[in-house]
Amino acid sequence: MPIGPTELIIILVIVVLLFGARKLPELARGLGQSAKEFRKGLSEDDKKAEEAKPEQKQS
């Protein structure tokens, strides 16, 4: 069941009431920084995994 525009507006109003309009940009900025750090950590793990693999000799 997809979320319609009415449900999104209701959710937005509830969020504004809970956190206040002044806190929303700060919360969004924090979420963005967290997502950036998470992606950075994932890419570092991928690089470490690639370095840890033994090199395969070509025949």
Side-chain angles (χ1 to χ4, degrees), residues 40-59:
K40 182 180 174 184
L42 286 179
S43 66
E44 286 177 1
D45 285 345
D46 288 343
K47 287 178 185 178
K48 288 179 183 178
E50 288 292 324
E51 291 173 0
K53 287 183 181 178
E55 293 185 21
Q56 296 178 352
K57 294 181 182 179
Q58 293 180 348
S59 300

Side-chain angles (χ1 to χ4, degrees), residues 25-49:
E26 184 179 321
L27 289 171
R29 196 174 308 116
L31 283 173
Q33 289 175 347
S34 298
K36 182 179 176 182
E37 288 294 320
F38 181 73
R39 283 189 223 114
K40 182 180 174 184
L42 286 179
S43 66
E44 286 177 1
D45 285 345
D46 288 343
K47 287 178 185 178
K48 288 179 183 178

